Amino acid sequence: MTRAVTLIRSQALSDAAEYAYAATAPADARLIFLAGSCPLNEDGTTAGKGDYAVQAAKCIENMNTALAEAGATIEDVISTRVLVASTEQADLVTAWEVVRDAFGSHDVPSTLMGVTVLGYDDQLVEIEAVAAVQD
């Protein structure tokens, strides 16, 4: 299956980033805009209270479910925004490592942000994503 997403890497920008700097999709691609994926269990409780890595993994799991229901996979994601409720860079890195590992070589353009609070009780991580598919 041909993927709609093309990742763009730059030789002129720092190679310290662990993701592509840009991505494109053809004009005829169907875009899928996902709501922020939260670390919620089916019963609405927050998974992994106090654990950034567990919450990031649950966000990825929930994102994969939403992608599948929209007819896409993680390899169709064109960009992400990872929100982490912390002022500590180490906490952001902990969440980011889980996200990066989940995406593997499909290292889409991403923004990693520390925020003061997220919407659910005990929530530490949220992941927004956009995907592109050709039907």
Side-chain angles (χ1 to χ4, degrees):
M1 171 193 229
T2 302
R3 297 283 179 195
V5 177
T6 301
L7 300 179
I8 300 170
R9 293 161 183 24
S10 174
Q11 299 302 316
L13 297 171
S14 171
D15 62 357
E18 296 175 333
Y19 50 83
Y21 279 97
T24 63
D28 64 344
R30 176 172 55 92
L31 297 179
I32 302 165
F33 297 89
L34 292 117
S37 177
C38 300
L40 299 179
N41 298 311
E42 283 187 36
D43 65 1
T45 60
T46 302
K49 291 181 182 178
D51 190 321
Y52 290 91
V54 169
Q55 289 202 8
K58 185 64 175 177
C59 290
I60 292 291
E61 178 185 328
N62 290 341
M63 182 184 73
N64 282 329
T65 298
L67 285 165
E69 291 181 7
T73 71
I74 199 167
E75 291 196 354
D76 297 311
V77 172
I78 195 167
S79 68
T80 67
R81 182 178 299 126
V82 181
L83 309 172
V84 181
S86 179
T87 59
E88 299 296 320
Q89 188 177 35
D91 297 332
L92 278 70
V93 170
T94 296
W96 173 249
E97 288 175 345
V98 172
V99 173
R100 182 193 61 217
D101 289 349
F103 277 86
S105 64
H106 185 66
D107 55 346
V108 299
S110 298
T111 299
L112 176 63
M113 298 172 57
V115 299
T116 57
V117 67
L118 291 166
Y120 291 99
D121 291 340
D122 303 308
Q123 182 182 1
L124 301 172
V125 180
E126 186 164 334
I127 303 170
E128 297 177 8
V130 176
V133 296
Q134 289 185 298
D135 294 320

